[in-house]
Amino acid sequence: MAQRETWATRVGFILAAVGSAVGLGNIWRFPYMTAENGGAAFVVVYLLAAGLIGLPAMLAEFTIGRKAKKNVFDAFSSIGFPAWRIVGLLGLVTGFWILSYYSVVGGWVIQYLLGSFTGTYFGDPGTFFGDISTGPTTVAYHAVFMLITVGIVALGVKDGIEAATKAMVPSIVVILVGLAVWGVTLPGGAEGLAYFLSPDIDALLSNLDTIIPFAVGQAFFSLSLGMGVMITYASYIGEDDNLAVDAGSIVVLNTAIGVLAGLVVFPLLFAQNVDPGEAGAGAVFVSMATAFGELPAGELIGAVFFGVVLVAALSSAISLLEVVVSYTIDNYDVSRVSVSVAVGAIIFLLGIPSALSLDTFGLYDEIANSLLLPTGVTLIVTFVGWVYGRDAVAELRQGTGGFGSFASTWLWHVRVVVLTAVVGTLVLSVSELLGISLFG
Ligand code: PHE
């Protein structure tokens, strides 16, 4: 079997992980979830979840991947715990599951990108979303998005994923900052800012049973946690990276880009008099399209915006596909190209129902975020905290130089705080999914 690939540079690894984290989760899902859950109160819980749960959980995934140098399934046996491969299996299933509907949203983005050049959606943005979000054409663009994803993954770790994300991530930041600065100055912009940034504490406290599961689930989704992306990416680390610094940079950058997206979306929504809670999964698309329709040079600004969203979506989609591809090439003597094509084709088929019905689409998304990812994170955190334990600390210490005592603090934080929080989230999420209210 060929020698295992590695990242060319440490920055390449960080940017690939940021590229995985930053995607539709930040730009499409975060504003939409914030709007559905009442605004700034949701943002507060999300930020706490990203820092207190997401960051330590990401480190947990890194310690598995860097030590094992294997795909998500075999990583567990490679470090001596074959029974825990079940967690890897769940990760593989989740990868198929999420990419199947993620790619449908990717297809929407391509249609908006094309529609921007010609101004097709300018006249009636609401109807445009209805027209493009389901149906045979939606299936076709879902196929186009999968094809591009397959193409990048087929090129490999260095030449495909690393090269692509290096260019993508900086361009996302530059363009979002520009749009945010402009959006805040619009009439109504300040009101949008307040909705996004000034939490109503009473509303927060009385809605904790829904805000917590949605906000924590969103943090997992946005940081690509709970399904082995970070295990897989850390398995390609060649040199002795400082995992804590890497994870810290990834979480900060990802959170910043989510907040930036909110700073773009909410002022624009309010400037257009769109009620954020009304728009559903189309919120970002409809609001942005409305704004671009009324702007001078809206075709150009729209094309730039949706171009960036497409880039962000692709750099996440490739990580979802890579988890499955990595498993297959580690185990079978098949070429990266043929595996990428075959897996891509299966995922495309799995996504067709979501491209035909928004209800099915919503169900896929909810199962992923309320069940699959929280279960994955809970199992990984249990494993790293209580089973892998001291070896995880040793792995973290490697290359962490001055962080010696930080590593054991991290372990206890994972064992107690993170584990309690993720189990609590899982209970709330599953009851939310089943429609049971735990707090009366
Ligand atoms: N983090 C990605 C986003 O925010 C989505 C994703 C989830 C990617 C899980 C990989 C794994 O768009």
Side-chain angles (χ1 to χ4, degrees):
M1 214 164 279
Q3 211 209 325
R4 207 157 193 283
E5 298 168 273
T6 58
W7 304 110
T9 60
R10 175 175 177 192
V11 172
F13 159 65
I14 297 177
L15 286 184
V18 170
S20 167
V22 174
L24 296 169
N26 309 59
I27 299 164
W28 158 70
R29 203 171 187 281
F30 176 59
Y32 147 51
M33 282 288 125
T34 303
E36 299 248 294
N37 291 286
F42 177 87
V43 180
V44 172
V45 180
Y46 170 79
L47 292 176
L48 288 174
L52 294 178
I53 310 176
L55 174 61
M58 183 177 290
L59 273 174
E61 291 203 20
F62 281 173
T63 60
I64 301 174
R66 192 179 66 180
K67 172 93 180 169
K69 303 250 177 299
K70 285 277 178 209
N71 63 82
V72 63
F73 184 72
D74 298 299
F76 292 91
S77 39
S78 154
I79 58 177
F81 304 97
W84 287 85
R85 276 182 305 182
I86 186 86
V87 181
L89 187 63
L90 175 67
L92 292 173
V93 171
T94 308
F96 274 93
W97 187 269
I98 295 183
L99 187 50
S100 79
Y101 73 87
Y102 199 85
S103 167
V104 172
V105 186
W108 297 349
V109 176
I110 299 177
Q111 295 194 74
Y112 270 92
L113 175 60
L114 298 177
S116 301
F117 289 119
T118 49
T120 318
Y121 56 70
F122 286 7
D124 192 351
T127 314
F128 185 79
F129 181 75
D131 289 346
I132 64 106
S133 55
T134 51
T137 320
T138 312
V139 175
Y141 280 100
H142 158 51
V144 173
F145 185 87
M146 271 316 295
L147 260 176
I148 308 175
T149 307
V150 164
I152 300 175
V153 171
L155 287 173
V157 171
K158 271 191 206 125
D159 298 334
I161 303 175
E162 186 168 348
T165 46
K166 247 190 193 154
M168 290 169 170
V169 174
S171 59
I172 294 170
V173 175
V174 169
I175 288 163
L176 280 181
V177 168
L179 279 171
V181 168
W182 168 75
V184 167
T185 59
L186 290 178
E191 216 186 317
L193 263 195
Y195 177 84
F196 184 55
L197 296 177
S198 322
D200 173 346
I201 301 297
D202 289 339
L204 171 64
L205 294 179
S206 51
N207 294 309
L208 274 183
D209 59 334
T210 53
I211 293 183
I212 289 178
F214 285 121
V216 181
Q218 169 62 25
F220 295 159
F221 183 83
S222 188
L223 289 167
S224 306
L225 294 175
M227 55 147 296
V229 165
M230 296 303 170
I231 294 178
T232 306
Y233 274 19
S235 79
Y236 298 131
I237 294 177
E239 49 185 298
D240 226 9
D241 288 347
N242 184 327
L243 296 182
V245 171
D246 295 356
S249 329
I250 295 160
V251 172
V252 168
L253 253 171
N254 181 64
T255 310
I257 292 177
V259 171
L260 254 178
L263 292 179
V264 175
V265 170
F266 287 102
L268 285 184
L269 276 179
F270 277 77
Q272 304 300 321
N273 282 319
V274 181
D275 176 353
E278 296 282 286
V284 170
F285 292 99
V286 177
S287 64
M288 290 291 128
T290 314
F292 300 141
E294 290 181 9
L295 272 170
E299 287 91 348
L300 184 66
I301 304 177
V304 169
F305 178 80
F306 288 114
V308 167
V309 178
L310 178 61
V311 162
L314 280 170
S315 62
S316 302
I318 57 184
S319 74
L320 286 157
L321 184 58
E322 178 63 19
V323 169
V324 183
V325 168
S326 167
Y327 161 74
T328 318
I329 49 184
D330 274 355
N331 283 287
Y332 306 94
D333 207 359
V334 280
S335 77
R336 176 174 269 277
V337 175
S338 42
V339 177
S340 307
V341 172
V343 174
I346 298 171
I347 293 177
F348 163 70
L349 293 177
L350 190 64
I352 291 178
S354 297
L356 294 176
S357 145
L358 277 180
D359 287 337
T360 311
F361 171 88
L363 188 65
Y364 269 62
D365 184 49
E366 195 167 352
I367 288 178
N369 288 282
S370 299
L371 185 65
L372 300 175
L373 294 182
T375 305
V377 176
T378 304
L379 291 172
I380 291 171
V381 162
T382 308
F383 169 74
V384 169
W386 293 102
V387 181
Y388 187 36
R390 288 282 140 206
D391 289 343
V393 169
E395 186 59 28
L396 190 57
R397 282 213 173 109
Q398 269 202 32
T400 329
F403 279 111
S405 63
F406 159 84
S408 358
T409 313
W410 164 79
L411 182 65
W412 279 103
H413 179 72
V414 167
R415 284 180 169 171
V416 180
V417 181
V418 178
L419 188 57
T420 311
V422 294
V423 169
T425 298
L426 187 59
V427 172
L428 286 174
S429 300
V430 172
S431 29
E432 180 67 38
L433 192 64
L434 301 175
I436 308 164
S437 175
L438 289 183
F439 293 130

